[in-house]
Amino acid sequence: MLEVSDLSVAYGQHPALNGASLRVKRGEIVVILGANGAGKSTLLKAISGICEGRVSGSVTLEGEELVGLPPHRIVEAGVALVPEGRGVFGDLTVMENLLLGAYAERAREEEAGNLDRVLSLFPKLGERRGQQVRTMSGGEQQMVAIGRAMMSNPALLTLDEPSLGLSPLLSKELFQSLKAVRDTGIGILLVEQNARASLAIADRGYLLENTRIIHEDSAAKLRSDPAVQAAYLGGG
Ligand code: ATP
C-alpha cells in the first residue's frame, strides 16, 4: 500500500536521509527504530509533505505519487501524521479536537462513522468529550492526537515517538490501542525509541542508522537478533 523508494532528504548541504526504501501493507504495523538524529522524524515529515529539506525519490500510496504534493493533498490521499509532541489544541475540548481532524474531503462523508470508530477504540474520549485537552494526562492527550488523526479516515497512520514522556503503563496501553487501530485495516508506520514495546506489537521493523536503513526483518526476528538486542534492547 505505502511504498517508499530511494527517498533522500538534505537540509542545505547536510544529508538527513539517504536512499530509504520501505513498505507498509494494509493492516500491518511497521516500526522504524533508530537513535537520536538518525533521520526518523525526517522520514515521516517527507512522507507527509511537511519536510523543510530538499526531498528526492518516490513515495506512493495505492500507486499515487505523493512527493511534491502539498500536505493537504497527502491527507486527502490517505496519510495521517501524529507528530512528535502530539500537536493537540489544549484550549479546545476533546470533541473539538476530534472534529478538527475531519476537515479533509475524504473524511467529511464518513464523519459520523469515523467518530463512532474513534470512540469505540478510545472509550475514554467519549466519556471526556467536553474536557479541555490541556487538563488531560499525557496518555489521554496522546489518545486525542491519535483520535484526531483517525478522523481524517486515513489508509495509513504515521506516528512520531508516541510513547515519549509516557509512563511504562501508559505506553503499554497506547501500544495496545495501536493494535486495535491496525485491526481495523489501517496500515501503521511508527517511529520509536522504545524498541521493546514497539517490537512487541509490530509486524515488521527497519533499523535506521545515521541516515540509512541498514536492516529489515520481522519484528519477531528483530527481537531475538543479538545485534538489535545490544543496540536497542539494552542487551536483554
Ligand atoms: P530524534 O529522535 O532526536 O527526533 P530523528 O531520528 O527523528 O531524531 P531527525 O529529526 O529526522 O532525526 O533529524 C535528522 C538530522 O537532520 C539531524 O542531524 C537534524 O539536526 C537534522 N535536521 C532535522 N530537521 C532539520 C531542519 N529543519 N533544518 C536543518 N537540519 C535539520
Side-chain angles (χ1 to χ4, degrees):
M1 176 180 68
L2 178 84
E3 181 118 29
V4 174
S5 311
D6 204 18
L7 189 68
S8 296
V9 177
Y11 297 106
Q13 295 298 316
H14 179 82
L17 193 64
N18 262 307
S21 296
L22 63 95
R23 288 160 176 244
V24 183
K25 291 183 238 154
R26 236 173 237 291
E28 185 181 49
I29 299 180
V30 173
V31 62
I32 309 281
L33 299 176
N36 278 325
K40 304 182 302 294
S41 299
T42 295
L43 170 68
L44 292 193
K45 286 181 185 166
I47 292 171
S48 280
I50 57 166
C51 183
E52 292 163 349
R54 209 170 50 254
V55 178
S56 62
S58 164
V59 176
T60 61
L61 186 72
E62 319 275 21
E64 181 182 358
E65 180 61 55
L66 304 183
V67 171
L69 294 183
H72 70 275
R73 291 278 309 280
I74 295 177
V75 174
E76 292 296 351
V79 177
L81 170 67
V82 179
E84 192 171 344
R86 307 174 193 129
V88 290
F89 296 97
D91 290 338
L92 302 184
T93 64
V94 169
M95 191 53 71
E96 286 166 339
N97 268 276
L98 292 181
L99 294 177
L100 276 173
Y103 68 89
E105 232 161 79
R106 70 178 279 129
R108 279 185 213 145
E109 279 173 27
E110 317 266 347
E111 192 173 308
N114 280 329
L115 187 59
D116 283 349
R117 182 169 63 162
V118 167
L119 296 182
S120 70
L121 283 169
F122 303 112
K124 205 170 214 172
L125 297 185
E127 292 159 21
R128 306 291 187 87
R129 63 181 69 212
Q131 187 171 343
Q132 261 189 338
V133 167
R134 71 176 151 73
T135 65
M136 300 179 92
S137 73
E140 291 164 352
Q141 291 192 24
Q142 192 59 261
M143 283 178 198
V144 174
I146 295 170
R148 191 181 60 180
M150 298 276 295
M151 288 298 290
S152 71
N153 196 23
L156 176 80
L157 183 66
T158 68
L159 303 104
D160 196 350
E161 307 251 8
S163 76
L164 203 69
L166 299 188
S167 68
L169 184 66
L170 285 179
S171 298
K172 201 168 168 200
E173 271 180 43
L174 168 84
F175 286 119
Q176 290 307 316
S177 59
L178 291 182
K179 266 169 65 171
V181 171
R182 169 193 61 193
D183 293 341
T184 68
I186 290 177
I188 296 181
L189 180 60
L190 175 67
V191 152
E192 260 298 336
Q193 292 201 39
N194 187 341
R196 194 177 300 278
S198 53
L199 283 176
I201 57 147
D203 300 293
R204 284 187 307 115
Y206 295 84
L207 307 185
L208 183 62
E209 265 184 26
N210 196 14
T211 78
R212 291 177 197 277
I213 289 181
I214 56 154
H215 191 52
E216 173 204 352
D217 218 329
S218 69
K221 287 213 175 111
L222 289 173
R223 277 199 304 270
S224 58
D225 181 325
V228 173
Q229 289 179 352
Y232 297 99
L233 298 172

